[in-house]
Amino acid sequence: MHMGHSEFAHAEKTVSVTFHLDDPHALTDTDQAVWELKAAKGQPLLEVAVHAGINIEHACGGVCACSTCHVYVTQGMSDCSEAEEDEEDRVEEAPGLQINSRLCCQAVVEGDGPIVVHVPSWNRNAVKEVPH
């Protein structure tokens, strides 16, 4: 699934969001494990990642119908939107559930940050095509 450009494509990006990738090559085709990005308020963390080239799995297209974009927010949880019941129900299905678990598609930047996100090694784009 590829996310299109949203209303945040040209919005002012002022919130620091850092992604720590356990398996960067699987998600970015690089060895870069730490990505320091900027996000706009109102922007979902998944969109921040995908638009920077971090291919976090999101089988449902980011509509809270699966749990493949499960990540851990290790800092700045209060700077993200509060989890709603639909997200809580879905994240319970995810592997490695922790108190700081969120669905990247549902965690929306609301505060001033910084926000730090840990993407576990089991989150990888399973449908990414490999060149022949």
Side-chain angles (χ1 to χ4, degrees), residues 8-111:
F8 303 104
H10 301 291
E12 186 177 2
K13 294 171 176 60
T14 59
V15 182
S16 172
V17 180
T18 302
F19 287 87
H20 290 267
L21 313 179
D22 281 354
D23 189 358
H25 199 268
L27 297 175
T28 66
D29 286 331
T30 73
D31 293 325
Q32 184 177 340
V34 178
W35 292 66
E36 296 180 5
L37 307 173
K38 293 287 186 182
K41 288 185 181 179
Q43 192 173 25
L45 292 176
L46 178 62
E47 184 176 309
V48 176
V50 170
H51 285 213
I54 303 170
N55 296 309
I56 292 176
E57 181 65 51
H58 54 287
C60 71
V63 296
C64 197
C66 71
S67 61
T68 57
C69 69
H70 174 220
V71 296
Y72 304 118
V73 177
T74 60
Q75 182 181 342
M77 186 72 89
S78 62
D79 291 304
C80 295
S81 60
E82 213 171 300
E84 294 184 6
E85 188 174 345
D86 285 347
E87 178 185 359
E88 290 172 352
D89 290 344
R90 293 288 181 222
V91 82
E92 287 177 3
E93 301 169 0
L97 183 65
Q98 296 183 41
I99 194 146
N100 60 343
S101 289
R102 289 297 306 264
L103 296 183
C104 208
C105 69
Q106 298 301 299
V108 175
V109 176
E110 289 187 340

